[in-house]
Amino acid sequence: MVSVSSLYSVLANDYLALATFAVGVIAVINGLKNYTSPIFARRVYSAPEALALTTPLTGRLFGTWTIFSGIVRLYGAFHLTNRELYHMIMASYLVVFVHMILEMMSYRTMKKSEFGSLSPIVVSAVGFGAMMWYYGEYFQVM
């Protein structure tokens, strides 16, 4: 059985684990908010063309996707020495980044100047970059 103190010691001694955990918590909270109202999805997909398309159904779908990404990161924060899980977390950041860039640049459903639209892009880019940067600290690179 895992104790709370052992989980705390992982987060207290590893900044990447702490950051991954924090992003996971925020993702789960944001995902749950999308179940209550499409307003939260509309903060991300805020371009005029997207507002009519952002329905309660799409909000819940976005929420489910966000919760799943958050769960992967929450679990992974405590198991960063597992190479496959580390790769899954990196992939989750990459998928978010590519999706958000496509929505902004190609589909034009996001405004380039709004915090709600830019924050997922920044968080995913920084998260992916940090995981690339620290990869050698967790695994021997051949």
Side-chain angles (χ1 to χ4, degrees):
M1 179 154 186
V2 177
S3 69
V4 173
S5 63
S6 68
L7 295 177
Y8 173 77
S9 70
V10 168
L11 296 179
N13 297 316
D14 187 338
Y15 292 122
L16 185 59
L18 180 61
T20 303
F21 180 79
V23 171
V25 168
I26 292 166
V28 170
I29 291 169
N30 285 339
L32 291 172
K33 288 192 302 188
N34 278 284
Y35 276 91
T36 63
S37 172
I39 291 170
F40 298 104
R42 287 183 182 138
R43 289 183 184 163
V44 175
Y45 303 100
S46 57
E49 301 84 7
L51 293 179
L53 300 173
T54 310
T55 66
L57 175 61
T58 59
R60 290 189 303 273
L61 180 61
F62 181 64
T64 301
W65 180 62
T66 305
I67 290 168
F68 181 72
S69 293
I71 290 170
V72 168
R73 293 175 190 144
L74 284 172
Y75 185 76
F78 297 102
H79 304 283
L80 288 177
T81 56
N82 179 317
R83 185 183 304 260
E84 290 78 16
L85 192 51
Y86 197 97
H87 291 164
M88 287 291 294
I89 298 167
M90 287 177 65
S92 77
Y93 284 127
L94 189 60
V95 167
V96 169
F97 182 78
V98 169
H99 168 75
M100 295 298 174
I101 292 294
L102 283 172
E103 290 294 335
M104 183 178 287
M105 303 301 213
S106 181
Y107 305 123
R108 302 194 190 290
T109 57
M110 297 168 57
K111 290 183 181 175
K112 296 175 185 167
S113 59
E114 298 220 0
F115 177 78
S117 297
L118 294 176
S119 59
I121 293 171
V122 171
V123 169
S124 61
V126 170
F128 184 80
M131 295 196 78
M132 289 291 292
W133 182 266
Y134 289 105
Y135 191 84
E137 302 219 5
Y138 290 92
F139 310 105
Q140 183 175 357
V141 182
M142 295 181 197

